[in-house]
């Protein structure tokens, strides 16, 4: 089964420091991986995705993620954290039914990021 | 200019009632989804529709019935509500996967359902 794991429930980082939110995947075939962010009482906002090509994917709000096939990881990173980055972050992988229809997302449990001033 | 919208935003109701949540997208997408987020923030797919056809139907009680009148709308009807149905329900939409490219899903703001 296609799945992702987020090993950390919470990540704390000081404003201005680099941040990393970890995600590992378990898939058969080529993985299609996503990161979403959820601010309190809001919906999910798309940050970035890896389909194929360059292992370093750049996304919204200065975030990027590195696809590492040997370590089966897709960690989310940002060089300099902002207090406003504090939110719940979800890694996800697509799961499908072998057709060209839209594929659903299988989400990790989420990692709460807290950036302190 | 809302992309994916849901109504209502909040829904408080008694056990045993029947309720509906509506979802509309103006992105021109042909695939729509319902996800459930429980109290621990865990997100799980419930249904997926492509061009009004049910594609994915995960292990969801029969009390939940999606209905897609057209490509832009996917409603969720819940019969005989139970306490355990309390959750946040998210609608999402995307283009269908084409030529192996997985299109991005865009989510609505969620409907917070509380069953008393």
């Amino acid at each position: 089964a296609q799945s992702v794991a987020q090993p950390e429930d919470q990540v704390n980082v000081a404003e201005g420091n680099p941040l990393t939110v970890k995600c590992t995947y378990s898939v058969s075939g080529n993985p299609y991986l996503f990161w979403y962010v959820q601010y309190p009482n809001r919906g999910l906002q798309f940050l970035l995705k890896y389909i194929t090509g360059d292992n370093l994917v750049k996304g919204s709000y200065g975030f990027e993620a590195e696809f590492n096939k040997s370590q089966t990881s897709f960690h989310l990173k940002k060089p300099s954290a902002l207090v406003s980055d504090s939110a719940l972050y979800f890694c996800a992988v697509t799961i499908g039914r072998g057709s060209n229809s839209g594929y659903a997302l299988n989400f990790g449990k989420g990692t709460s990021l807290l950036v302190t001033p | 200019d809302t992309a994916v919208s849901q109504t209502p935003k909040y829904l408080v109701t008694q056990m045993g009632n029947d309720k509906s949540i509506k979802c509309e997208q103006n992105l021109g997408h042909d695939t729509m989804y319902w996800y459930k987020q429980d109290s621990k923030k865990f997100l799980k797919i419930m249904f997926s529709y492509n061009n009004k056809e049910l594609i994915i139907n995960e292990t969801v009680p029969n009390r939940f019935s999606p209905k897609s009148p057209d490509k832009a709308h996917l409603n969720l009807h819940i019969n005989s509500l139970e306490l355990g149905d309390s959750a946040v329900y998210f609608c999402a939409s995307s283009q269908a996967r084409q030529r192996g490219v997985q299109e991005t899903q865009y989510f609505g703001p969620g409907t917070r359902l509380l069953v008393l």
Side-chain angles (χ1 to χ4, degrees), chain B residues 37-53:
Chain B
Q37 186 174 43
D38 64 22
S39 58
K40 296 184 178 179
K41 305 294 185 182
F42 187 68
L43 278 154
K44 188 171 171 60
I45 181 70
M46 299 174 71
F47 303 102
S48 165
Y49 265 76
N50 175 257
N51 278 320
K52 301 193 298 174
E53 180 187 352

Side-chain angles (χ1 to χ4, degrees), chain A residues 32 36 97 100 103 105, chain B residues 35 37 58 97 100 105 112:
Chain A
Y32 297 136
Y36 283 83
R97 296 296 182 268
N100 275 333
Y103 281 38
L105 293 170
Chain B
Y35 289 87
Q37 186 174 43
E58 290 300 301
R97 193 179 191 186
Q105 291 185 27
R112 283 147 186 83

